[in-house]
Amino acid sequence: MNYLEFLDLQKPHLLEKALLKIDEALDECKDFEDQKFFLSELNTFVYGHYLSKYEWNLVDIFNANKDLIKSATTYGEIIDTAHYIMRSYTESIDQDMIIEDRLIRQAIDIISQEFTNKISLGEVAKKLNVSPNYLSRMFSLKTGYRFIEYVNILRVQHAKKLIETTDNSLDYIGDICGFANQPHFSLTFKKVAGMTPSEYRSKYGKK
């Protein structure tokens, strides 16, 4: 059984479609015990998904659903329980928060792939079809960093690895890590790492 398709329908405006889908899934089960097993697995999957992906602990809903599944003794009760499970999670989930979390993960993916280039907040916002102001606000809220701070942290981390493992010049390292010029590289590196690139090379550079 593909439980992911139920997650895709777990939105208030799709709830009726979700209920029809779960009815179909129950009809495909071979017997009453199989139906209870299906609901138990679905309940566990949905709970685990939101816990691992969004760090939302919906344990009270999970346990209440678990008790309902266990106590169901008729097909009618199974149907009612199935519908309750879908409604309980759907009504407890902040859809705006899901959208925002997904947006920030997508932004981080783009930054991780392009931080060595001349990447800007405006460019990332355009790729995600949101305004720069909205992305800036959500990024700071979810990560604790301003957009450019996060980019510079990745750049400095990359530069540190190159300083530790190569003999490349600091000018070259700063350039390929995405810094505009050497003064910018040196200033940003010291702000993040607590020392200049030259000092870092002296202490941790390739011997």
Side-chain angles (χ1 to χ4, degrees):
M1 184 65 66
N2 181 12
Y3 298 110
L4 284 172
E5 59 187 339
F6 292 100
L7 288 175
D8 293 337
L9 296 173
Q10 208 148 45
K11 302 173 180 65
H13 68 286
L14 295 176
L15 182 58
E16 292 307 314
K17 189 174 181 179
L19 298 182
L20 290 174
K21 190 73 177 176
I22 203 167
D23 287 350
E24 292 174 2
L26 288 170
D27 287 339
E28 293 174 2
C29 294
K30 59 185 180 181
D31 55 34
F32 185 73
E33 288 304 314
D34 195 35
Q35 290 173 334
K36 295 184 76 168
F37 177 77
F38 161 70
L39 290 184
S40 294
E41 290 292 293
L42 177 63
N43 186 40
T44 300
F45 179 82
V46 175
Y47 167 71
H49 170 79
Y50 289 115
L51 181 63
S52 63
K53 196 166 188 177
Y54 301 106
E55 296 184 356
W56 297 345
N57 191 352
L58 305 177
V59 66
D60 290 342
I61 294 174
F62 170 77
N63 285 333
N65 291 339
K66 187 177 178 181
D67 290 341
L68 284 173
I69 295 167
K70 186 177 180 180
S71 63
T73 58
T74 67
Y75 177 72
E77 289 178 354
I78 281 290
I79 291 292
D80 290 343
T81 299
H83 288 192
Y84 181 84
I85 289 172
M86 294 304 293
R87 291 182 188 279
S88 64
Y89 283 114
T90 300
E91 292 171 359
S92 298
I93 293 165
D94 186 338
Q95 297 299 321
D96 290 335
M97 188 176 292
I98 290 179
I99 292 170
E100 290 166 1
D101 285 348
R102 185 182 302 123
L103 174 74
I104 299 310
R105 287 200 309 276
Q106 290 172 336
I108 288 174
D109 286 343
I110 293 172
I111 295 168
S112 298
Q113 294 168 12
E114 301 185 16
F115 71 88
T116 57
N117 301 319
K118 292 181 179 180
I119 187 173
S120 71
L121 174 67
E123 290 170 342
V124 176
K126 186 176 181 179
K127 289 183 178 182
L128 296 174
N129 295 313
V130 297
S131 73
N133 286 340
Y134 178 77
L135 178 59
S136 177
R137 187 171 69 253
M138 287 300 104
F139 195 90
S140 296
L141 181 65
K142 298 295 182 179
T143 68
Y145 297 103
R146 291 185 298 114
F147 177 87
I148 191 59
E149 287 176 334
Y150 187 83
V151 172
N152 283 336
I153 287 172
L154 293 187
R155 286 173 173 168
V156 169
Q157 287 176 342
H158 188 47
K160 286 165 71 175
K161 290 179 182 177
L162 293 175
I163 292 173
E164 292 168 10
T165 59
T166 75
D167 295 320
N168 292 327
S169 70
L170 296 179
D171 283 344
Y172 176 77
I173 290 175
D175 183 56
I176 65 172
C177 287
F179 292 98
N181 50 55
Q182 185 59 27
H184 179 225
F185 173 41
S186 183
L187 185 65
T188 304
F189 192 99
K190 185 172 183 178
K191 186 175 181 180
V192 174
M195 62 184 76
T196 66
S198 297
E199 292 169 339
Y200 191 86
R201 169 157 275 171
S202 296
K203 191 169 184 179
Y204 301 108
K206 186 178 179 182
K207 305 301 183 182

